[in-house]
């Protein structure tokens, strides 16, 4: 980071770290697009399947408010 950048100022260092985390996460999520496209499933379904298959996860808590958000459309 250039020393003259606004993010070099003490007050902006936390903001810069959060921005970098968000950008990094966005790039990782974008990298999953070819996988969900190939599988023909939404990203949310892949995320739940990953959690269910992960032996380090003991429970999955979803923020669904309607049953329709949890059902898989059969096509």
């Amino acid at each position: 980071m250039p020393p003259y950048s606004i993010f070099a100022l003490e007050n902006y260092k936390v903001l810069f770290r959060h921005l970098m985390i968000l950008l990094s996460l966005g790039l990782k999520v974008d990298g999953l697009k070819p996988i969900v496209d190939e599988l023909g499933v939404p990203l949310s379904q892949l995320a739940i399947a990953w959690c269910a298959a992960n032996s380090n996860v003991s429970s999955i808590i979803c923020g669904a408010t309607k049953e329709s958000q949890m059902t898989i459309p059969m096509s």
Side-chain angles (χ1 to χ4, degrees), residues 29 32-33 35-37 39-52 60-64 68-73:
V29 170
L32 296 173
K33 184 156 177 31
I35 297 170
V36 296
D37 289 346
L39 294 172
V41 299
L43 183 58
S44 57
Q45 186 176 339
L46 180 66
I48 291 171
W50 180 86
C51 290
I60 303 168
I61 301 173
C62 298
S68 62
Q69 293 172 314
M70 295 300 297
T71 57
I72 300 169

Side-chain angles (χ1 to χ4, degrees), residues 55-74:
S55 62
N56 296 310
V57 176
S58 60
S59 61
I60 303 168
I61 301 173
C62 298
T65 56
K66 298 180 269 189
E67 183 181 348
S68 62
Q69 293 172 314
M70 295 300 297
T71 57
I72 300 169
M74 302 307 248

